[in-house]
Amino acid sequence: MSEDDAGARAIVLMPDEVPREPVAVPFAVEVSADNLAAAASILAATALPAAANALPAARPTPLVRARGWWRAATPNLRGSLLMIAAFTAFAVMMTLIKLAGGRIPLPQILIVRQLVMTLILAFVVGRALPRIMQTSRPGLQLLRGMFSLGAMLCGFTALIHLPMAEATALGFAQVLFVTLLAILILREVVDRRRWIALAIGFAGVFVMLRPGGEAMNGYALLAILGALFGAGITISVRVLGQSERTETILFWQGAVVLIALGAPAVFLWTPPTPTEWALMIGIGVVGTAGQWLVTRAYQMGEASALAPLDFVRLLLATLSGYLVFAELPNLVTIVGAALVAGGTIYTMRHNAGARRLAAAPLPDNPPP
């Protein structure tokens, strides 16, 4: 064995004899539920708010944006939109009446319609029905109900016997009647722009009437008389809307019509087929929706401002007549409809830019 090997072996130590450096032992922490709860509290108070602030702000939903736009809109613009929705419902109702009126007597159709409206109203108001029946103006409510009865009997009779577009166009004499009555009774001021919109729309009706043509017959006169009754409805609703609820107005209208048409409907009753029952019930449903919408529209907007929008009914009636009854409009009807659309768009733009009025409680939400 060499000296080097001997030296190497001399410095080799057994494992138990190896010197060890002192190792620092960490301070022992006792983990308990209280400690964990305290740590979570510190985290919630510091880190979580900072993380929440770093997140982007939540965007409003389309429904929230729509509500904001609706509240910011002028009363006349809101009334205009409600009127267009009402006329859509009325176009469906007119189509169903024309389909059912081929065999079922009109008083029978109207009595079923009013019964359906009354049931819907009773379901909506529930236990509040006795309060809904109360009115501070019973005389005007009865007058409004008679106007409604006359408008339905005259207008719907003309509708059954005339093409839809023609009967609807003849009914637009109501626009002129409403404007004149709004000036005389409601003391509303009609500015130059509304007169222009009214003139454009009425010119379109005049073109489609073709004075001296076949439209000027007994049913045409009934349509014009129905328009006069319709103007009475518009003005009376505008007056009643200042103090009466929408449901109250609809209840009194239904009561007047049911009492007036009860006996004629029983005397002329014709057993309906299942399809005719469906048509009459549908008339009641969409008629109720249209009545509610038009009542609310006239409670929000001025009668003379909303009257020119009545021409939208002509466009919808023309479309329904073509799709359901194959009544193809001719060139004269198209030209007249273009003028009507122009007057309607002009009125909508004027209503949107009108001076914003201070918000006031509506009859459906009276102050306590």
Side-chain angles (χ1 to χ4, degrees), residues 98 157-167 170 214-215 217 219-221 223 327:
K98 194 172 179 67
T157 300
L159 172 66
I160 293 173
H161 294 87
L162 294 175
M164 285 190 64
E166 187 174 318
L170 288 168
E214 296 179 357
N217 53 34
Y219 293 119
L221 295 177
E327 298 170 353

Side-chain angles (χ1 to χ4, degrees), residues 37-110:
S41 300
I42 295 174
L43 178 63
T46 57
L48 293 182
N53 292 332
L55 294 175
R59 295 183 179 180
T61 62
L63 180 58
V64 173
R65 291 198 300 267
R67 287 177 178 174
W69 180 90
W70 178 262
R71 293 171 181 172
T74 64
N76 280 342
L77 179 57
R78 282 183 285 174
S80 299
L81 295 176
L82 289 176
M83 285 293 286
I84 293 176
F87 293 150
T88 303
F90 287 147
V92 176
M93 183 190 69
M94 292 170 61
T95 303
L96 298 180
I97 288 175
K98 194 172 179 67
L99 288 171
R103 196 181 73 92
I104 302 298
L106 183 59
Q108 180 177 338
I109 295 174
L110 295 181

Side-chain angles (χ1 to χ4, degrees), residues 244-276:
E244 303 293 309
R245 294 175 176 267
T246 303
E247 292 85 355
T248 302
I249 297 173
L250 293 179
F251 172 81
W252 278 79
Q253 171 200 312
V256 171
V257 173
L258 286 174
I259 294 173
L261 293 181
V266 172
F267 180 75
L268 299 173
W269 186 267
T270 300
T273 64
T275 300
E276 291 168 340

Side-chain angles (χ1 to χ4, degrees), residues 76 137 140 177-190 194 230-242 297-307:
N76 280 342
R137 313 190 71 169
L140 189 56
F177 297 145
V178 168
T179 303
L180 294 177
L181 292 176
I183 296 173
L184 296 175
I185 298 176
L186 303 182
R187 305 297 181 185
E188 292 184 3
V189 178
V190 180
R194 289 181 189 168
I233 294 174
T234 298
I235 300 302
S236 61
V237 166
R238 183 62 177 168
V239 176
L240 287 169
Q242 304 303 317
Y298 277 113
Q299 287 176 343
M300 287 186 180
E302 298 176 351
S304 55
L306 301 180

